[in-house]
Amino acid sequence: MTAQLKILAAEIELPKGIQRILPLPDDGLGALWTSIILDPAVKQKLLAQAVLNFSMRSKVSRNVLPLHGVILLVGPPGTGKTSLARGLAHRVAKAFPNDKFRLMEVEPHQLASSSLGKSQRAVTELFAQAIAEAAAGGPVVVLLDEVETLAADRAKLSMDANPVDVHRATDAVLVQLDALAERYPNLLFVATSNFPRAVDSAFTSRCDLILEIPLPNKEASADILKDCLIGLGAFYPAIGKLVNAPGFADCAAACVGLDGRAIRKMVGSAIATNLETATAPGNLTLAQILAAAKAAKASRAAAEC
Ligand SMILES: Nc1ncnc2c1ncn2[C@@H]1O[C@H](COP(=O)(O)OP(=O)(O)O)[C@@H](O)[C@H]1O
Ligand SMILES: [Mg+2]
């Protein structure tokens, strides 16, 4: 079987709602962790909570320390939550070199989009079978990306506007989380949400850590811009040199208020200012970056109105 066919076969066999399963550690995910520029104390806290999950939960009774094995990352879109969650899986696996960790990525939209009556069953099957089976075979980090899709706030859902099924799916998630927490101490859920208020409070109360991932501050914005330009500098050396040119600080200041994804995308827009730079990106100027940053901020402000 060719490598491509093997990948296809593996994908076909994945249980419904599971996007992929990766053996850990994985250097690609490690690079993701380092690429996210964030207060080191926040990263440290996140990693420490994840490590504690695997070092303590199998030893200490839940009557003493009621840990569920759930971490929730919340914050505006584009702040690096999904990347951090994936990177965290790698880092925690590195902390236990004698164990074979895996990362399971759940695709909540696939479950939630099931027709009426099916979401609850799909969620139950995913948690009670697929995740439980994986956890029985060794330590697992489960990424529940955009968890509000799965654990929607029942208090805010109108019975008229939303199918009863959403309520049932949320209930099923909570029941299953409790059951898994009880049986599998070597399981860690890392959930993310762009809309923390849409996440059911019964879910958030089960989280061992809720970490807010903020928009990058002034220094972080400058570092993200720098990282992006230096990264491009590997292909177009002239772009890498822009970080030391006069005017870089103005560009960095103009990025404040944008999320990390938007800062990087803005550099792409700057290169696409005209056909000349699009064809020969090494000709990119700081003036083009400044204009692109201002345009990105203006369009964001317009979208928020
Ligand atoms: N703090 C940050 N530092 C560096 N890059 C960032 C940061 N936040 C976001 N990014 C960039 O944006 C991309 C998308 O981030 P992602 O993890 O999908 O964000 P979220 O899940 O919060 O929407 C990342 O791959 C990264 O390149
Ligand atoms: Mg995300």
Side-chain angles (χ1 to χ4, degrees):
M1 207 189 283
T2 66
Q4 207 174 5
L5 271 179
K6 267 187 196 154
I7 292 169
L8 269 178
E11 277 175 5
I12 291 164
E13 282 161 23
L14 285 177
K16 184 170 181 191
I18 298 290
Q19 198 167 8
R20 62 172 180 167
I21 303 177
L22 271 183
L24 298 170
D26 177 297
D27 287 338
L29 301 186
L32 265 187
W33 174 263
T34 17
S35 78
I36 299 300
I37 292 159
L38 188 67
D39 180 351
V42 176
K43 270 193 180 177
Q44 177 84 6
K45 172 88 204 123
L46 178 58
L47 182 55
Q49 184 72 41
V51 167
L52 168 145
N53 182 77
F54 292 100
S55 66
M56 274 188 79
R57 271 180 64 225
S58 57
K59 297 197 178 80
V60 179
S61 154
R62 293 187 68 220
N63 303 332
V64 180
L65 207 59
L67 293 172
H68 262 87
V70 186
I71 294 176
L72 175 60
L73 304 178
V74 298
T79 47
K81 300 178 298 298
T82 305
S83 312
L84 276 174
R86 290 182 171 137
L88 177 67
H90 164 83
R91 290 302 296 258
V92 78
K94 290 284 270 189
F96 298 93
N98 297 326
D99 297 309
K100 286 197 168 130
F101 277 67
R102 279 147 306 149
L103 169 66
M104 272 181 109
E105 297 197 357
V106 171
E107 216 306 67
H109 299 278
Q110 207 184 334
L111 299 173
S113 63
S114 306
S115 58
L116 193 75
K118 289 205 184 130
S119 283
Q120 180 193 13
R121 200 174 337 131
V123 167
T124 305
E125 273 173 20
L126 172 69
F127 281 72
Q129 290 173 23
I131 298 180
E133 266 168 33
V140 188
V141 177
V142 179
L143 170 62
L144 293 179
D145 211 14
E146 304 188 2
V147 73
E148 66 277 358
T149 329
L150 265 189
D153 188 344
R154 290 160 301 175
K156 294 210 179 80
L157 289 174
S158 140
M159 280 287 193
D160 304 329
N162 291 280
V164 176
D165 199 40
V166 176
H167 294 245
R168 293 208 185 122
T170 301
D171 288 338
V173 169
L174 298 172
V175 167
Q176 292 303 324
L177 267 187
D178 286 338
L180 290 172
E182 190 69 45
R183 285 182 57 197
Y184 301 106
N186 58 355
L187 187 57
L188 173 68
F189 288 95
V190 186
T192 76
S193 179
N194 296 327
F195 308 102
R197 273 174 296 175
V199 183
D200 198 275
S201 60
F203 179 86
T204 51
S205 85
R206 282 163 170 78
C207 295
D208 303 330
L209 172 70
I210 299 178
L211 205 55
E212 280 196 35
I213 309 299
L215 283 177
N217 62 16
K218 191 161 170 268
E219 288 75 38
S221 297
D223 285 347
I224 295 169
L225 181 60
K226 204 178 270 181
D227 190 69
C228 183
L229 297 180
I230 289 173
L232 287 168
F235 307 93
Y236 311 102
I239 298 187
K241 292 188 183 129
L242 293 175
V243 300
N244 297 317
F248 174 81
D250 290 341
C251 293
C255 291
V256 177
L258 294 175
D259 59 74
R261 180 193 281 137
I263 295 174
R264 292 184 190 272
K265 275 188 185 285
M266 175 280 289
V267 176
S269 307
I271 296 171
T273 307
N274 57 42
L275 271 181
E276 196 216 324
T277 42
T279 316
N283 294 329
L284 179 69
T285 64
L286 284 175
Q288 287 172 322
I289 295 179
L290 188 62
K294 286 182 177 166
K297 285 262 285 290
S299 75
R300 176 145 305 200
E304 278 164 12
C305 283

